[in-house]
Amino acid sequence: MTFPEEKSTVPTVEMRDIVLRFPGVLANDHVNFTLYPGEIHALLGENGAGKSTLMNALMGLYRPESGEIRIHGERVSFNSPKDAIAAGIGMVHQHFMLVENQTVTENILIGLDTPHFALDLKKFDHEISDLAEQFGIHIDPTAKIWQLSVGEQQRVEILKILYRGADILIMDEPTAVLAPQEADELIATLKGMAAQGKSIAFISHKLNEVKQVADKLTVLRRGRVTAERVELHDFTRESLASLMVGREVIFNLHKCEQTPGPEVLRLENVSALNNKNLPALRNVNLSLHEGEILGIAGVAGNGQSELVEVITGLRPCSGQIWLGGKDIANKPPAFSIQQGLAHIPEDRIGVGTAPNLSITSNIIMKRYDQEPVSQKWQLDYVAADDVASGLKTEYDIQAPNVHTQARKLSGGNLQKLILARELSSLPHLIVAMQPTRGLDVGAIEGVQQLLLNQRSQGCAILLVSEDLDELLSLSDRIAVMYEGEVAGVICSEDFDITQIGLMMTGTTSQDLQTQKEKPSASNFDKVLKNLHQAEEPAQAGTTATPELPFESKTQADELPQEGLTSPHDDSYQHLTEKERVLRKVLGDKYKQGDTE
Amino acid sequence: MNWIEILRSGISTGTVLLIAAIGEILTERSGIQNLGVEGMMLVGAMAGFRVAFTTGNVWMGLLAAVAAGGLLSLAHAVVTIHFQADQTVSGLSLTFLGTGLALVLGEGFTGHTAPVIPRASIPLLSQIPYLGQILFTDHNLLVYFGYILVPLVAYYINKTRPGLHLRAVGENPAAADTLGVNIYRTRYIYTFIGGCFAGLAGAAISVAIAPGWYSNLTVSGQGWIAVALVIFAHWNPWRAALGGYLFGILRRFTLDLQGPRVLFGLANPFFFNTNLVFFLQMTPYVLTIIALIWGSSAARKKRIGAPAALGTPYQRGERGL
């Protein structure tokens, strides 16, 4: 498809009929991709659809089997990234390509030809500050990479490209690792760069984000283009999703009505410290019943991960945790597993699996001591493979065979592997932390459906998520956590996204009841105004933000720090910080409400 | 006891460790661990002695030692970089290979004398009281080479472009690769250079510090000490120099303790009971272990330590799809 207004300009990048094959996989099957100056072009697709592969081919990391690449109209053939860099292409990889113990400047200078030998780092520090300023990026060029936040590291990646004078930027899922406010800053930076004439290819599998940032869109599915250079406003979220996944995606899963059964889990006065030995949980009381999903909402870092860890036996705590009539607090995880606990951890690679072991080994990790896998003192690997193949088929884990290493699986398949192991143990209680984060729409639907199936089979589920939509659609009750305490528990019939949002930022449910006028989600300003007024009398540094924005760091250093609270006395800071949290909480809903 | 003499000859002994450790630091900084230092040193010692003996020219001997060490290290490079084999296994086999080669090729040269590296004192500097006598008087030329080598290598690693690329390849090869640094070439080069230094260190024993060829007793485990020294030094040439000289002095000191009948006004226990000497000989190694423990906890705080990619073969697109 070509557009009349584009015929006049030469595309910066033109990829035609690209074919790329990996052993056993056709990663790109005659893919076309065109990029014009000054545009942000989104490349949308599921994990493993071939987006990154295509862009790596453009970067000269992979060589296409056939097809042609033209840069500014001229045909090129890259042998290494060096050629691509020389042609003005730069890529920010999903996993940052930075040397941790080198400075920002050193990282930017890697791979250049001049100066040939001696490096006068001070001179380059200045050059890089100037360049950063030109694009409105704040960074200290003498800082070591490990001292920087993820968002700052990403800026280093962008600077690396800009310093090489690139006019084509490839961003590989850049927001996957960022906090919402950092993502906003990034999108603003990218738009600014596009306005200065740079061409940006933006890889993503997040539909909302693509709608927010991109001018044009190309969709890939299983290595093939399903929509090429289309305008974004022609599409709804649903139609984009079906282009990506190749079938209808159900965004609102059907949840059957059922009455919860007897109590499965009860937490009594549970308190715990975090890794820095500061209080992370304070007198948490919760109860969870058979056939019930209890959602845990909260801004990241308000005690959710510690809550999951104390229940799963990974963190010491005070108080009692009753599971099926036994106190599992401070007991080894094996004991809780015997009581019917299943854990779907947040960190799939570090905690959820042993990445270098096979699918089989990962599957039998919880049942190695049970028949048929366990034969007295040895393991029956034939039986183990049988179990694993059975579950591989049942849970549709896509891998060549059960001997494939876990780390070679895509994010969605890795999560399916964990779910297969955990759910096949027929648990009474599932503790799931961020079970759908980083997955694409198709995989999210699958995971959520599995959880709902468990619910209808009478399993109790504790679901921790930062995705409020997910919590609202799956949970029977939602407990909101704020600074290690349960700020309130809301039943599904009373779900109100604004109320949950306010509780996440530190307004207790009692405070909300005394408030006569209930703020509505569609009136954002009003919410903020109310929030600000409600907070004013309480005041004095009880802000909800566990992380500081970078700009306020210097300012924050001058203020005294007390316990868990972040020092933001300035009322403007206060408001924007609230705003950011609320935007994170309500953002999608708010904008969606606008467009529909 | 002559303290000046102990320190002076300790510096000289330490130079061997220093040269070998600097070579290993360069190799390890590129992400390749070569445990074959002992083997490469032996081959270097043998080649240096044999060539010096047959040609009558000690400089030809040094050249041969450097070439021999470098060539042997290329075996390690091919196996670990090209074929991506396990670096520990390959390094250990290299020690066996080097030892065997050196013993076979050095057969029959024991007891001969070959020309040695000339000695010299530095004018003016040697006049400094104590320090001049220890550092600048009547040393073989390789000791002075060691003095120059340390700052040069430190500058090279930290302040030059090739040094920057070397560090990047050892820390995060994928990052360096995406910026167009040739990982394989870099690793080949520094593995080779490390081998050259190990060969030179071997020759420093056989044609300079303890002249002669005494089969595998020539090097007597100093290659292993050099490997440990790299860890102790946190991959930093300055600390390697410090450790090398310290270790050299300790070795010399424990030797000297066994000599006199009377020590500090008391009967010398090491003179009368030879079994105690074994404990004496342990002390440098025990101190190494203590220094390693102490050093690594300090390093963890400051985030210095082994190059992150040390021992891991690099292959582009490991993560694949």
Side-chain angles (χ1 to χ4, degrees):
Chain A
M1 234 192 282
T2 46
F3 293 83
E5 79 274 9
E6 283 159 356
K7 278 181 179 161
S8 51
T9 47
V10 182
T12 37
V13 175
E14 200 179 359
M15 300 178 87
R16 287 269 152 253
D17 289 325
I18 300 294
V19 178
L20 232 153
R21 211 183 293 266
F22 290 118
V25 199
L26 188 56
N28 284 156
D29 184 5
H30 297 278
V31 173
N32 296 333
F33 178 76
T34 323
L35 185 63
Y36 282 85
E39 82 175 2
I40 302 180
H41 188 154
L43 199 53
L44 187 70
E46 287 188 290
N47 292 324
K51 303 163 295 197
S52 302
T53 309
L54 182 69
M55 290 298 111
N56 279 326
L58 180 58
M59 260 327 278
L61 279 165
Y62 301 139
R63 275 186 81 104
E65 262 179 36
S66 67
E68 63 173 43
I69 302 174
R70 285 172 188 276
I71 306 293
H72 298 295
E74 278 181 37
R75 188 158 179 185
V76 292
S77 166
F78 297 144
N79 288 318
S80 88
K82 207 160 189 162
D83 301 340
I85 292 164
I89 308 173
M91 180 162 178
V92 175
H93 294 262
Q94 195 179 354
H95 307 278
F96 293 156
M97 296 292 186
L98 295 169
V99 181
E100 289 259 306
N101 59 4
Q102 291 183 358
T103 68
V104 171
T105 304
E106 284 181 313
N107 266 282
I108 291 171
L109 293 179
I110 295 172
L112 295 173
D113 289 326
T114 46
H116 197 64
F117 194 74
L119 289 178
D120 178 7
L121 283 179
K122 284 221 176 81
K123 187 185 122 206
F124 290 101
D125 287 344
H126 285 298
E127 248 177 55
I128 282 155
S129 310
D130 292 347
L131 179 76
E133 226 160 83
Q134 191 189 328
F135 288 93
I137 298 171
H138 302 282
I139 200 90
D140 171 13
T142 59
K144 294 257 166 77
I145 298 300
W146 60 267
Q147 297 170 318
L148 302 179
S149 72
V150 180
E152 289 173 304
Q153 293 187 7
Q154 190 170 55
R155 290 176 223 168
V156 180
E157 288 281 23
I158 294 173
L159 276 176
K160 219 151 86 171
I161 295 167
L162 294 176
Y163 188 79
R164 283 160 174 75
D167 54 1
I168 303 158
L169 269 89
I170 306 166
M171 306 289 296
D172 191 356
E173 302 198 13
T175 57
V177 290
L178 298 184
Q181 61 265 36
E182 289 178 323
D184 290 348
E185 280 172 38
L186 170 73
I187 286 170
T189 309
L190 290 182
K191 287 195 164 159
M193 293 195 303
Q196 293 189 32
K198 309 262 182 212
S199 313
I200 298 166
F202 189 96
I203 303 178
S204 182
H205 61 237
K206 292 183 190 161
L207 301 166
N208 293 330
E209 177 181 282
V210 162
K211 291 207 99 168
Q212 200 184 341
V213 68
D215 307 314
K216 287 283 185 339
L217 175 74
T218 292
V219 186
L220 283 179
R221 183 174 75 235
R222 302 207 169 176
R224 290 206 183 134
V225 173
T226 49
E228 189 188 341
R229 274 196 77 71
V230 291
E231 295 283 339
L232 268 154
H233 50 72
D234 298 342
F235 290 89
T236 60
R237 198 156 85 111
E238 283 72 16
S239 57
L240 282 180
S242 56
L243 275 176
M244 255 170 88
V245 184
R247 58 179 164 81
E248 285 287 308
V249 175
I250 308 151
F251 279 99
N252 295 308
L253 294 166
H254 174 68
K255 190 169 80 175
C256 63
E257 290 298 321
Q258 65 183 52
T259 335
E263 190 177 67
V264 176
L265 176 79
R266 191 168 79 244
L267 274 73
E268 288 175 5
N269 296 321
V270 173
S271 301
L273 301 176
N274 65 12
N275 291 339
K276 290 174 188 157
N277 281 328
L278 295 171
L281 291 177
R282 309 170 193 218
N283 289 323
V284 173
N285 290 291
L286 282 174
S287 98
L288 180 53
H289 300 82
E290 258 181 28
E292 182 188 48
I293 297 183
L294 174 64
I296 304 286
V299 178
N302 274 287
Q304 299 96 314
S305 38
E306 286 83 4
L307 179 71
V308 167
E309 284 168 6
V310 296
I311 296 174
T312 52
L314 300 174
R315 181 178 291 276
C317 62
S318 64
Q320 280 101 46
I321 302 171
W322 299 97
L323 173 60
K326 288 197 172 131
D327 184 5
I328 60 164
N330 301 315
K331 291 272 167 44
F335 181 80
S336 319
I337 289 170
Q338 274 170 18
Q339 309 310 314
L341 177 110
H343 180 200
I344 299 162
E346 182 180 24
D347 179 1
R348 283 163 214 152
I349 291 179
V351 179
T353 53
N356 286 330
L357 296 186
S358 65
I359 292 179
T360 301
S361 301
N362 275 291
I363 289 274
I364 64 165
M365 236 170 241
K366 271 182 90 174
R367 57 169 81 192
Y368 66 94
D369 55 349
Q370 295 162 16
E371 296 212 350
V373 176
S374 161
Q375 294 292 337
K376 300 211 172 72
W377 52 274
Q378 58 180 354
L379 295 180
D380 182 348
Y381 264 98
V382 178
D385 281 347
D386 280 349
V387 171
S389 331
L391 288 174
K392 179 173 176 284
T393 321
E394 190 186 334
Y395 285 85
D396 189 30
I397 301 167
Q398 298 197 353
N401 56 56
V402 289
H403 302 292
T404 310
Q405 286 178 326
R407 72 185 160 95
K408 292 195 173 145
L409 299 180
S410 71
N413 282 309
L414 196 66
Q415 187 69 318
K416 283 187 207 161
L417 166 64
I418 296 170
L419 285 164
R421 179 183 68 215
E422 297 298 327
L423 303 186
S424 64
S425 69
L426 304 173
H428 302 304
L429 168 70
I430 300 171
V431 178
M433 177 115 187
Q434 306 272 25
T436 60
R437 184 159 79 175
L439 304 186
D440 48 62
V441 278
I444 289 174
E445 183 201 0
V447 170
Q448 293 181 339
Q449 192 58 59
L450 278 171
L451 289 177
L452 284 179
N453 292 347
Q454 288 294 317
R455 172 181 173 268
S456 44
Q457 285 165 28
C459 192
I461 300 172
L462 186 85
L463 173 67
V464 181
S465 179
E466 282 173 37
D467 181 352
L468 265 193
D469 288 338
E470 176 172 274
L471 286 178
L472 292 171
S473 62
L474 297 182
S475 310
D476 296 293
R477 287 184 300 143
I478 290 180
V480 184
M481 291 201 63
Y482 173 68
E483 298 212 330
E485 291 179 54
V486 176
V489 182
I490 309 161
C491 293
S492 59
E493 53 266 29
D494 304 326
F495 280 173
D496 175 355
I497 192 157
T498 318
Q499 189 191 350
I500 294 172
L502 287 172
M503 284 164 72
M504 282 168 72
T505 58
T507 319
T508 61
S509 42
Q510 288 94 325
D511 287 347
L512 285 170
Q513 277 159 14
T514 54
Q515 241 174 286
K516 287 262 163 75
E517 191 190 322
K518 249 190 177 178
S520 72
S522 57
N523 199 333
F524 194 63
D525 290 338
K526 219 166 161 188
V527 174
L528 283 172
K529 215 171 156 190
N530 279 337
L531 175 80
H532 197 44
Q533 282 166 357
E535 280 286 301
E536 208 96 60
Q539 253 326 315
T542 47
T543 319
T545 50
E547 295 163 349
L548 300 174
F550 313 113
E551 290 80 6
S552 61
K553 247 181 191 161
T554 44
Q555 193 187 350
D557 286 340
E558 292 158 20
L559 294 164
Q561 299 225 7
E562 288 171 42
L564 279 177
T565 59
S566 309
H568 285 287
D569 282 357
D570 179 68
S571 65
Y572 175 74
Q573 270 298 344
H574 189 112
L575 182 67
T576 52
E577 205 49 48
K578 287 279 182 198
E579 192 181 27
R580 279 170 173 161
V581 173
L582 266 182
R583 272 180 72 187
K584 176 183 178 169
V585 175
L586 305 177
D588 283 356
K589 270 277 162 323
Y590 177 63
K591 278 167 205 152
Q592 263 175 310
D594 235 9
T595 47
E596 274 159 18
Chain B
M1 267 186 291
N2 182 348
W3 289 102
I4 297 285
E5 183 50 34
I6 290 177
L7 293 177
R8 204 190 69 84
S9 58
I11 294 284
S12 175
T13 317
T15 300
V16 174
L17 296 174
L18 168 72
I19 293 174
I22 292 270
E24 183 67 6
I25 284 175
L26 286 169
T27 303
E28 293 201 3
R29 278 292 183 111
S30 78
I32 297 289
Q33 183 171 48
N34 190 347
L35 293 180
V37 179
E38 176 82 6
M40 296 187 295
M41 278 176 76
L42 259 173
V43 165
M46 182 278 302
F49 182 80
R50 187 173 167 163
V51 172
F53 176 75
T54 45
T55 63
N57 183 337
V58 66
W59 303 110
M60 290 302 286
L62 272 195
L63 210 64
V66 168
L71 276 177
L72 193 59
S73 73
L74 282 183
H76 182 66
V78 171
V79 169
T80 59
I81 302 169
H82 194 83
F83 293 106
Q84 316 217 328
D86 187 281
Q87 297 184 6
T88 309
V89 174
S90 168
L92 291 175
S93 351
L94 197 69
T95 293
F96 292 122
L97 178 65
T99 311
L101 272 177
L103 292 189
V104 169
L105 296 175
E107 182 66 35
F109 284 86
T110 311
H112 293 339
T113 27
V116 294
I117 300 280
R119 290 165 174 273
S121 301
I122 307 283
L124 293 177
L125 287 177
S126 57
Q127 304 302 314
I128 306 170
Y130 303 115
L131 221 54
Q133 283 170 281
I134 294 165
L135 296 176
F136 302 111
T137 308
D138 196 31
H139 276 306
N140 72 70
L141 294 179
L142 284 175
V143 173
Y144 303 118
F145 171 71
Y147 296 164
I148 307 167
L149 185 66
V150 174
L152 273 184
V153 170
Y155 175 80
Y156 179 84
I157 291 177
N158 293 314
K159 303 277 171 175
T160 70
R161 167 160 306 284
L164 175 71
H165 289 180
L166 167 64
R167 282 182 286 139
V169 167
E171 290 290 338
N172 190 345
D177 193 18
T178 53
L179 294 172
V181 178
N182 189 329
I183 309 298
Y184 297 136
R185 194 173 66 195
T186 309
R187 289 187 161 179
Y188 264 102
I189 288 174
Y190 289 102
T191 307
F192 181 73
I193 290 177
C196 292
F197 275 111
L200 180 66
I205 302 172
S206 66
V207 298
I209 287 149
W213 174 247
Y214 310 101
S215 68
N216 48 356
L217 286 175
T218 318
V219 176
S220 68
Q222 291 192 67
W224 296 110
I225 299 173
V227 172
L229 197 59
V230 172
I231 303 166
F232 165 78
H234 299 150
W235 294 264
N236 174 345
W238 291 106
R239 285 183 60 114
L242 182 80
Y245 292 137
L246 209 66
F247 209 91
I249 291 166
L250 265 171
R251 268 172 83 96
R252 181 58 212 251
F253 178 64
T254 50
L255 266 178
D256 276 30
L257 267 185
Q258 299 160 38
R261 277 172 163 273
V262 180
L263 203 63
F264 306 117
L266 296 167
N268 184 354
F270 302 112
F271 185 82
F272 295 104
N273 187 345
T274 42
N275 283 340
L276 282 180
V277 171
F278 294 118
F279 288 93
L280 197 62
Q281 285 168 342
M282 278 180 214
T283 44
Y285 302 92
V286 172
L287 282 177
T288 309
I289 292 172
I290 293 170
L292 281 179
I293 295 166
W294 173 76
S296 61
S297 70
R300 227 176 293 125
K301 279 180 206 133
K302 287 195 231 153
R303 286 225 181 198
I304 39 180
L310 183 63
T312 351
Y314 178 68
Q315 194 176 13
R316 194 179 277 177
E318 250 284 90
R319 282 173 187 273
L321 281 170

